[in-house]
Amino acid sequence: MYFLAIETSCDETAAAVFTEEPAILANVIASQTDLHARFGGVVPEVAARAHLQRLLPVIDEALRQAGIGLRDIGAVAVHNTPGLVGALLVGVSAAKMLALALEVPLIDVNHIEAHVYAARLAAGRDIFPCVGLVVSGGHTSLFHCPNPLQFDLLGATLDDAAGEAFDKVASILGLGFPGGPAIEREAATGNPQAFHFPRAFLKDERLDFSFSGLKTAVLYTVRGQDATRPVSPPPPGPWRADLAASFQQAVIDVLVEKSRQALRRTGLHRLAVGGGVAANRPFRQALERMAQEEQAELFIPPMKLCTDNAAMAAMAVEKWRLRHEAPLDLDAVATYRPRRQPIAQS
Ligand code: KG4
Ligand code: ZN
């Protein structure tokens, strides 16, 4: 049984082919980073148009790499939420068209939940029940995941997502877009203790996050308190590297400590991490140390499965086993409001 999956929620046009094991046969990603870089962020209309131009060639390439034809496809999976609605619509329309024409099931997959599932896919074995941490450009959420299809929200960001904070601080420091990898590079030579930036809710019971105060603290350090002054990015050198390293450390401290609290409070010993920020090496190392201290197993997929991709839609296999199909009037939904659950011990 072959599944074809489609991802167009933001600025990557992606298609994947996997089997029901699930095993990945192809994972093709056409990045639009170059298109958006000159705007300093993703422009929704530009993203949607680029998806339109690229999606069919990307699907063709995925089929070619998997060594199969369209007629071999047994089900079509698509990320239909959350994301930029115009961008999502391109993928959802294509998936519906293919499911209808091939007379195969259509399976809807939540993009955020799929980021957690990417860890299951990479592990090649069951990782549930686990705590799931999704840290991307649009989301920072902690979940209690009793099984591959249940995601109970333990906490989320109340303002900026962690990746968004990386992108905005990179822009303040004049490091370009996307900000995450640029900050990581800059921070490599900086002192993470040079500035003490705020760590919101660190001592708080809640498992929620807030990164907008941190971003503002970096802004004030660079520009001074006078809001009428223009922001001019600092010149390259140790001061800029220290700013990047201290900012990165503040984000890491909060993400790692909240994950530790989530493990303790659910009584679970497995942590699955996904989303673009999970590509950050110092973050991965800090998670590894914490997991060792908590005697927990840590599941972080390799880079290509951390950032946006269609292979993580292999969560569709779990739905397909239970015959959870989507209707052909499936819609693209921009916002995701997961269930908030009181913390239960597993
Ligand atoms: O999951 P993703 O590819 O797309 C979304 O669904 O948002 O995540 C993209 C985000 C961006 O904000 C990017 O700056 C951040 O992940 N990111 C990183 C790194 N690589 C990507 N953040 C920190 N360090 C990195 N190495
Ligand atoms: Zn994502």
Side-chain angles (χ1 to χ4, degrees):
M1 168 80 178
Y2 298 109
F3 293 73
L4 171 69
I6 295 172
E7 147 67 28
T8 61
S9 70
C10 190
D11 61 341
E12 321 281 2
T13 313
V17 175
F18 43 83
T19 63
E20 82 254 39
E21 268 178 43
I24 308 170
L25 301 183
N27 184 18
V28 178
I29 304 167
S31 171
Q32 301 178 8
T33 305
D34 293 351
L35 281 181
H36 301 283
R38 66 192 170 107
F39 302 107
V42 178
V43 182
E45 272 65 36
V46 174
R49 263 170 225 267
H51 286 313
L52 264 179
Q53 288 164 348
R54 297 169 184 201
L55 183 55
L56 294 182
V58 165
I59 291 174
D60 278 343
E61 178 59 17
L63 293 172
R64 196 192 62 76
Q65 287 184 14
I68 61 166
L70 263 184
R71 288 275 155 210
D72 299 316
I73 298 296
V76 180
V78 63
H79 292 148
N80 73 313
T81 187
L84 303 169
V85 78
L88 284 167
L89 262 175
V90 177
V92 170
S93 307
K96 290 201 283 198
M97 175 272 290
L98 284 167
L100 180 69
L102 299 172
E103 298 180 69
V104 297
L106 173 70
I107 302 173
D108 57 314
V109 175
N110 179 301
H111 176 99
I112 300 300
E113 297 175 358
H115 269 304
V116 175
Y117 196 83
R120 149 73 184 87
L121 192 62
R125 63 180 166 99
D126 190 18
I127 63 165
F128 298 92
C130 67
V131 167
L133 171 67
V134 180
V135 269
S136 69
H139 295 268
T140 304
S141 311
L142 267 169
F143 296 96
H144 175 196
C145 319
N147 61 63
L149 294 177
Q150 190 179 339
F151 289 75
D152 298 329
L153 188 72
L154 299 173
T157 182
L158 305 183
D159 40 57
D160 292 351
E164 190 181 353
F166 268 96
D167 294 333
K168 288 178 175 169
V169 167
S171 152
I172 294 168
L173 298 183
L175 296 174
F177 172 84
I183 296 245
E184 182 180 345
R185 272 194 304 277
E186 183 71 12
T189 56
N191 171 9
Q193 318 297 336
F195 298 90
H196 191 79
F197 289 132
R199 283 139 170 87
F201 308 149
L202 195 62
K203 304 267 181 275
D204 199 294
E205 279 274 289
R206 279 180 296 179
L207 294 175
D208 290 322
F209 305 89
S210 164
F211 295 106
S212 85
L214 170 59
K215 169 197 68 193
T216 309
V218 178
L219 176 68
Y220 282 177
T221 310
V222 171
R223 184 198 61 192
Q225 297 288 333
D226 181 359
T228 59
R229 277 182 53 191
V231 189
S232 43
W239 194 65
R240 190 174 79 174
D242 285 353
L243 281 167
S246 303
F247 159 78
Q248 179 174 268
Q249 193 58 49
V251 177
I252 292 175
D253 284 354
V254 175
L255 293 174
V256 171
E257 280 318 303
K258 291 288 166 192
S259 304
R260 186 198 301 275
Q261 287 174 30
L263 285 170
R264 288 188 182 170
R265 280 154 67 179
T266 53
L268 291 169
H269 289 275
R270 289 186 189 140
L271 175 64
V273 185
V277 180
N280 185 284
R281 264 157 295 222
F283 175 46
R284 294 165 91 107
Q285 288 156 2
L287 281 169
E288 275 159 22
R289 280 194 299 275
M290 181 276 285
Q292 242 177 11
E293 286 157 17
E294 299 301 313
Q295 295 179 332
E297 267 185 293
L298 178 63
F299 299 93
I300 312 181
M303 303 293 199
K304 204 174 173 190
L305 290 176
C306 275
T307 48
D308 285 350
N309 66 86
M312 65 191 189
M315 202 177 148
V317 171
E318 312 280 349
K319 288 191 155 187
W320 171 78
R321 289 205 178 102
L322 301 174
R323 304 204 181 285
H324 287 187
E325 290 177 22
L328 280 176
D329 62 356
L330 177 72
D331 220 342
V333 180
T335 10
Y336 169 48
R337 292 198 181 79
R339 295 187 304 163
R340 243 179 210 270
Q341 287 294 96
I343 297 173
Q345 289 264 332
S346 280

